[in-house]
Amino acid sequence: MADLKPRNLISVQERLRDQVAHALRAALISGELRPGVVYSAPALAADFGVSATPVREAMLDLAREGLVEAVRNKGFRVTELSERDLDEFTEIRALIEVPTVGQVARTATAEQLEALRPQAQAIVAAARKHDLIGYLEADRQFHLDLLALAGNARLVETVGDLRKRSRLYGLNRLDQRGELVSSAEEHLELLDVLLTGDAKAAEECMTRHLGHIRHLWAADEQAEPETALRLPAR
């Protein structure tokens, strides 16, 4: 029975790390954690009211996603993206996703496409509820599952990595202006076009969608940091 206690402790530690990582992602999206700024694990831990260990572990998780980078003996710097970075990410995504969506329009069955509708609806629902983390997760899942219908796992992996590195800052301001809802509804439009089997129309719809995403990035402004961060409700 002695081996049960360590497992329980590890489980608790992992849950706390996940909670901290979730809260940090929310802070990145809202602009509370700002690009280019170095944050120390002890300082963030004080804001969260936890020890530095789960914060450090959560930050390492975010570093693997490309959201932050470790700064030796100081902490973690929020990755800063330039306008050129965003242009290049969008260009690469368009080169990959637009023709792939055309291929999916030609080859996917109606059943396969309709299976994506709950995800597309979840994106809209999250936008309407102002659930920014939920919005990004549902959006990520929809796009990756859609691309997976082309049958190339490496392609899906590549786009998944690009999406992590080109995440949005300050989504709260876009949400307040109501632009997230219109962007979310484009996923249902894309799905309806795909169901017609018109590859050219699907490619055009995907091109517009990616262009709209880039416009949202360009229109975004950084939010001022909050004085304290909080863990999500348990």
Side-chain angles (χ1 to χ4, degrees), residues 106-118:
R106 290 188 293 269
T107 61
T109 66
E111 290 75 17
Q112 288 175 315
L113 293 170
E114 281 294 349
L116 299 176
R117 191 170 295 278

Side-chain angles (χ1 to χ4, degrees), residues 146-164:
L146 173 59
L147 296 174
L149 295 179
N152 188 329
R154 296 298 182 189
L155 182 150
V156 175
E157 181 181 337
T158 298
V159 173
D161 183 64
L162 286 169
R163 289 179 62 86
K164 289 177 182 177

Side-chain angles (χ1 to χ4, degrees), residues 86-142:
L86 295 174
D87 284 338
E88 290 177 351
F89 283 134
T90 304
E91 181 179 359
I92 295 170
R93 284 190 60 188
L95 288 171
I96 297 174
E97 295 185 60
V98 171
T100 302
V101 162
Q103 178 185 341
V104 169
R106 290 188 293 269
T107 61
T109 66
E111 290 75 17
Q112 288 175 315
L113 293 170
E114 281 294 349
L116 299 176
R117 191 170 295 278
Q119 294 175 2
Q121 293 170 334
I123 301 171
V124 177
R128 288 176 176 165
K129 290 189 297 184
H130 314 289
D131 177 6
L132 304 184
I133 290 286
Y135 174 92
L136 287 182
E137 176 55 27
D139 177 72
R140 182 192 70 83
Q141 197 63 54
F142 173 85

